[in-house]
Amino acid sequence: MEQIQRITSFQFRGWLESLRLRTLPLAFASILTGSALAWWQHHFSLIIALLCFLTSGLLQVLSNLANDYGDALKGSDSSERLGPLRGIQKGAITLPQLRRGMVLVAGLALLCGIMLISRACHTLGDVLSFLVLGALAVVAAIAYTVGKKPYGYLGLGDLSVLIFFGWLGVGGSFYLQSHNLPLLVLLPATACGLLAAAVLNINNLRDIETDRQCGKMTLAVRLGADNARRYHALLLGSALLCFAVFAWAGQQGWGRWLFLLVIPLLWQQGHYILHHKTPQAMRPMLEKTVKAALLTNILFSVGILLS
């Protein structure tokens, strides 16, 4: 009995490691920002916002599982990898089990997406458009590392993050509540996507050597370590600039500038990334970048509510 309990506990921890629940705040940040913008336009809907949170969270979990599955098939997650070992690397989860988990989460994501669309969409055009976008989101979550030519291995992961964590996450959740999409909203949407891309870039900087060895040509690998560090600073600065232009053009009151409180934190992080050259130095920065991105979006959203 004790041995069975140890095996069950080992498998449970393996699944938790593969689900990567710590990445969920990044998925939620775009929905938070989009919902705050809907509030700004007096169109906030709690039920629609909650369904957006649930759907985006499930898509993020699906992406995490697919990432482990694809990397395991291609041998990218070797023992030399600097990041934490996942359940499949430890032997707690088998490939068939991981595949079944992906199917289950994909089904749940589609179910939540259909509930969201049925609740939020008022026209046939909106229904069809978001059905297509939802299907693309599922395909994108899986195709990042799975398939003959996964786009994560071609250096297109950063663009995908900008689209799905920025323009679609923020703009989509805003539109589903307000049923309009002012061009001004694309500024915070882009900022949110750029911060998410910064998180991915840190992950790729940490794994740059092992990714290069196994042929995983992420954008960091293509740019080279030094340019990838400069790219990271550019992502952080551009995100702040997008938020600032929105605050200047579309908001009233002091709250619109609340997000500026995060500047010292982002400056410190950018300085660290530029001056610490080893992949090992990137290990603690991944969690810090996630927290910094989330804090920036929270401050921006709270500022909108205060304004």
Side-chain angles (χ1 to χ4, degrees), residues 3 74 167 226 300 306:
Q3 184 178 3
K74 294 174 175 59
W167 298 333
D226 288 340
F300 173 77
L306 293 176

Side-chain angles (χ1 to χ4, degrees), residues 31-241:
I31 307 304
L32 173 65
T33 301
S35 297
L37 289 166
W39 179 287
W40 167 61
Q41 289 285 296
H42 309 290
H43 292 296
F44 176 74
S45 168
L46 178 60
I47 294 178
I48 293 175
L50 290 175
L51 285 171
C52 286
F53 276 114
L54 186 57
T55 304
S56 65
L58 287 168
L59 287 172
Q60 179 61 48
V61 169
L62 175 62
S63 178
N64 294 339
L65 293 177
N67 188 33
D68 282 6
Y69 183 79
D71 284 344
L73 285 177
K74 294 174 175 59
S76 303
D77 282 350
S78 65
S79 58
E80 297 178 359
R81 180 176 176 270
L82 292 177
L85 295 178
R86 305 301 178 193
I88 195 165
Q89 293 172 276
K90 294 180 176 180
I93 305 172
T94 65
L95 278 173
Q97 288 174 331
L98 192 54
R99 188 164 55 245
R100 288 194 292 271
M102 289 168 53
V103 172
L104 174 61
V105 176
L108 291 174
L110 285 172
L111 177 61
C112 289
I114 291 172
M115 292 172 60
L116 172 61
I117 291 170
S118 64
R119 175 78 186 193
C121 294
H122 298 160
T123 67
L124 179 59
D126 282 353
V127 170
L128 294 176
S129 297
F130 277 93
L131 281 174
V132 171
L133 289 173
L136 287 175
V138 172
V139 171
I142 296 173
Y144 181 72
T145 57
V146 177
K148 293 183 178 180
K149 290 186 178 181
Y151 65 87
Y153 282 62
L154 301 176
L156 298 175
D158 297 60
L159 177 60
S160 174
V161 164
L162 173 61
I163 292 172
F164 288 100
F165 285 83
W167 298 333
L168 184 56
V170 177
S173 57
F174 174 85
Y175 182 86
L176 286 170
Q177 296 176 68
S178 66
H179 299 286
N180 68 87
L181 188 62
L183 289 178
L184 198 60
V185 169
L186 294 181
L187 285 168
T190 300
C192 193
L194 292 173
L195 290 172
V199 174
L200 178 62
N201 187 56
I202 288 292
N203 182 78
N204 292 339
L205 269 171
R206 182 196 64 193
D207 298 334
I208 190 169
E209 297 299 336
T210 53
D211 284 347
R212 183 183 291 114
Q213 291 169 9
C214 70
K216 187 175 183 179
M217 302 301 292
T218 63
L219 186 57
V221 172
R222 292 182 181 276
L223 291 174
D226 288 340
N227 285 332
R229 287 179 168 81
R230 298 186 186 101
Y231 166 65
H232 187 83
L234 179 63
L235 289 172
L236 299 180
S238 298
L240 286 175
L241 179 61

Side-chain angles (χ1 to χ4, degrees), residues 211-287:
D211 284 347
R212 183 183 291 114
Q213 291 169 9
C214 70
K216 187 175 183 179
M217 302 301 292
T218 63
L219 186 57
V221 172
R222 292 182 181 276
L223 291 174
D226 288 340
N227 285 332
R229 287 179 168 81
R230 298 186 186 101
Y231 166 65
H232 187 83
L234 179 63
L235 289 172
L236 299 180
S238 298
L240 286 175
L241 179 61
C242 287
F243 280 135
V245 173
F246 176 85
W248 173 77
Q251 283 284 290
Q252 304 262 336
W254 64 270
R256 58 183 170 163
W257 300 108
L258 189 62
F259 71 93
L260 293 178
L261 292 175
V262 83
I263 286 180
L265 178 62
L266 296 184
W267 177 270
Q268 181 184 34
Q269 183 183 119
H271 185 271
Y272 180 94
I273 299 301
L274 287 171
H275 291 86
H276 290 75
K277 304 291 186 177
T278 65
Q280 290 84 354
M282 299 300 104
R283 293 184 68 176
M285 295 308 297
L286 183 59
E287 183 177 353

